[in-house]
Amino acid sequence: MAAMVVCLTILSVLFISLVFKLVFDTIHCYILIPRRIKNMMQKQGVRGPKPRRLTGNIIEMVTLTSQSTVNDMDGVHHDVVGRLLPHYVKWSNSYGEFFRQLNLVFVSWENLTGKRFIYWHGIEPRMCLTEIELIKELMTKHHLVTGKSWLQQQGSKHFTGKGLLMANGQEWYHQRHIAAPAFMGDKLKSYSTHMVECTKHMLQSLLNEVKSGQNEFEIDEYMTRLTADVIARTEFDTSYEKGKQIFHLLTSLQHRCAQASRHLCFPGSRFFPTKYNREIKALKMEVERLLMEIIQSRKDCMEIGRSSSYGNDLLGILLNEMEKEKRGGKFKINLELIMDECKTFFFAGHETTALLLTWTVMLLATNPHWQQKVRDEVNKVCDGGVPSLDQLPKLT
């Protein structure tokens, strides 16, 4: 009986300690740390819009963006910052003036010139800088102690996980070092044949649609398909059909994670069994199942002797590094991290390029004289054929 009482007492003490720690960590994270940061910034002369308790300035940002994008643009132009980031323009004008006045009073405070302000994304501060030298110093001298915040990492935990896009400090350094060989100049040149084949396939599909009578196209769909095909073939040695399934699932997963991350500023929200969280879990499992099929196929080729290594593309480099780790390497890389890197490069590796190509095509379409100059140059340099690696430097 006495032993049972002792056990119950110990369990009660442990439970109370756990609850106390949880409450203390919550207060520390959501109240004490933000207040300390705010006071530190104010002492250095850095101010910004007044934040709300848990949501910070998110509601004001959403309201301003909704107001600026409620109507279509009156034409195609490059001045889109005020439309897409109206809160940045507003706060930059408001608090940039404060710095200019401050600099007149404290002439020796050279680092306070320019437009600089702080705003709050939930419980986390965001510092906006426009001074080139300060940005350069931050990116060169302090890059290992800066990086993605807790909210950013939690928001994409099920999307790109601990991949290169969300890594910080020494982890980022090691992951970048491992992946870099897959994107060296000579390596990229060896992919040119795949890129030409993929581009020809995309152009042929466009021509087929034109012949069938269609004369309007959502060009971003074709550009996304093109870049997805290239990254699937060159870095993962898989067919577009297999890659297409992964891209589709990753796109859905990105949307769900973005919707769920809006509530991350509320304590414990990521543990709630909400509709978004359930869908995220199911999508993540399906993506990882498809990635595991690609990884297992590569491992099978190695094990049955059809290949002496896992390959020299991105996936092969990651698998080779994992084998090296088993033999006593310093940096810890496992199957989970490899899948996170695959998700990162599968999605981020094609989306940004697809957006750039879409923007380029739009600019050519809205500036026919540019389009004609490009066409004339390509015909002259390439003599009506497909551009080769040797000809690319001649295309000014």
Side-chain angles (χ1 to χ4, degrees):
M1 186 67 181
M4 186 178 294
V5 171
V6 171
C7 287
L8 288 173
T9 303
I10 292 172
L11 287 173
S12 300
V13 170
L14 289 173
F15 177 75
I16 293 170
S17 300
L18 186 63
V19 171
F20 179 79
K21 186 179 185 305
L22 185 64
V23 171
F24 176 78
D25 287 346
T26 302
I27 294 173
H28 191 251
C29 181
Y30 284 81
I31 298 176
L32 299 182
I33 291 179
R35 182 179 294 175
R36 191 177 75 220
I37 293 173
K38 186 178 178 182
N39 291 337
M40 286 172 62
M41 291 294 100
Q42 286 181 347
K43 287 178 182 178
Q44 297 177 57
V46 182
R47 284 173 167 74
K50 184 179 180 181
R52 299 192 182 188
R53 177 63 68 184
L54 289 177
T55 57
N57 302 112
I58 292 177
I59 294 175
E60 187 177 355
M61 289 161 56
V62 171
T63 302
L64 289 170
T65 305
S66 298
Q67 291 171 354
S68 67
T69 56
V70 66
N71 297 316
D72 291 337
M73 294 175 67
D74 54 4
V76 177
H77 56 81
H78 301 275
D79 187 14
V80 296
V81 177
R83 178 179 176 84
L84 301 180
L85 302 170
H87 51 283
Y88 178 84
V89 175
K90 177 183 177 181
W91 296 333
S92 181
N93 290 332
S94 301
Y95 301 101
E97 183 62 32
F98 169 78
F99 281 111
R100 285 191 289 273
Q101 293 174 359
L102 195 65
N103 195 50
L104 291 174
V105 180
F106 303 99
V107 181
S108 62
W109 289 17
E110 294 177 357
N111 62 325
L112 287 180
T113 58
K115 296 180 179 180
R116 191 185 319 164
F117 64 90
I118 186 172
Y119 71 96
W120 292 79
H121 195 277
I123 60 169
E124 287 187 347
R126 299 281 188 271
M127 171 78 87
C128 291
L129 305 174
T130 57
E131 302 97 317
I132 301 298
E133 291 304 316
L134 195 58
I135 295 171
K136 196 182 296 183
E137 180 183 343
L138 184 69
M139 299 297 287
T140 54
K141 294 182 180 179
H142 309 291
H143 65 282
L144 289 180
V145 293
T146 59
K148 299 300 187 292
S149 70
W150 180 86
L151 279 178
Q152 289 173 313
Q153 289 181 325
Q154 287 297 319
S156 62
K157 182 173 69 173
H158 300 295
F159 178 44
T160 54
K162 296 180 180 179
L164 185 61
L165 197 63
M166 285 294 144
N168 286 332
Q170 290 296 329
E171 289 184 358
W172 171 85
Y173 176 82
H174 287 297
Q175 287 172 235
R176 185 180 183 279
H177 180 73
I178 291 169
F183 302 97
M184 293 298 185
D186 291 341
K187 180 70 68 176
L188 294 179
K189 288 178 182 178
S190 69
Y191 297 153
S192 60
T193 304
H194 289 300
M195 294 177 183
V196 170
E197 289 176 3
C198 295
T199 306
K200 283 181 175 179
H201 181 73
M202 184 272 294
L203 290 173
Q204 189 59 52
S205 65
L206 268 172
L207 286 172
N208 293 339
E209 294 291 343
V210 171
K211 289 176 181 177
S212 68
Q214 187 173 341
N215 55 18
E216 276 193 16
F217 301 91
E218 287 289 345
I219 201 67
D220 63 304
E221 293 179 9
Y222 289 86
M223 296 298 112
T224 299
R225 195 182 307 165
L226 169 61
T227 55
D229 197 3
V230 169
I231 197 78
R233 290 195 197 188
T234 58
E235 298 300 348
F236 300 97
D237 192 26
T238 186
S239 67
Y240 173 65
E241 290 306 314
K242 172 79 76 171
K244 186 168 69 173
Q245 298 177 57
I246 296 173
F247 291 126
H248 177 72
L249 290 167
L250 283 175
T251 301
S252 300
L253 186 57
Q254 183 199 33
H255 293 323
R256 298 295 185 281
C257 288
Q259 290 165 329
S261 64
R262 296 173 185 172
H263 308 112
L264 278 175
C265 51
F266 298 103
S269 61
R270 65 188 190 279
F271 302 115
F272 296 160
T274 61
K275 175 187 174 184
Y276 290 139
N277 288 342
R278 290 196 300 270
E279 289 178 349
I280 286 170
K281 185 178 180 181
L283 287 167
K284 181 187 176 186
M285 289 176 64
E286 183 61 16
V287 168
E288 292 184 348
R289 183 187 68 79
L290 291 171
L291 287 174
M292 199 61 222
E293 287 181 5
I294 297 173
I295 293 170
Q296 192 59 49
S297 174
R298 189 72 64 93
K299 293 175 79 173
D300 289 344
C301 289
M302 174 83 166
E303 288 170 3
I304 63 177
R306 286 170 58 185
S307 176
S308 58
S309 72
Y310 292 114
N312 58 0
D313 58 3
L314 179 64
L315 179 57
I317 288 170
L318 292 172
L319 289 170
N320 286 326
E321 189 65 29
M322 185 172 72
E323 288 301 313
K324 195 186 299 181
E325 155 61 23
K326 289 179 181 178
R327 295 192 295 270
K330 293 181 180 179
F331 179 62
K332 304 294 181 184
I333 182 170
N334 52 30
L335 204 55
E336 182 182 0
L337 183 56
I338 287 178
M339 283 198 282
D340 287 344
E341 296 290 17
C342 289
K343 286 184 282 185
T344 296
F345 283 97
F346 249 117
F347 192 81
H350 90 281
E351 187 192 35
T352 49
T353 311
L355 289 171
L356 177 62
L357 288 173
T358 302
W359 183 251
T360 303
V361 171
M362 190 208 73
L363 291 179
L364 290 173
T366 53
N367 294 274
H369 60 290
W370 292 1
Q371 189 179 146
Q372 190 57 47
K373 286 177 70 175
V374 172
R375 186 177 289 110
D376 291 342
E377 184 182 73
V378 171
N379 286 332
K380 180 181 177 181
V381 174
C382 306
D383 196 24
V386 176
S388 66
L389 282 173
D390 296 332
Q391 292 168 335
L392 286 181
K394 301 175 184 178
L395 296 170
T396 57

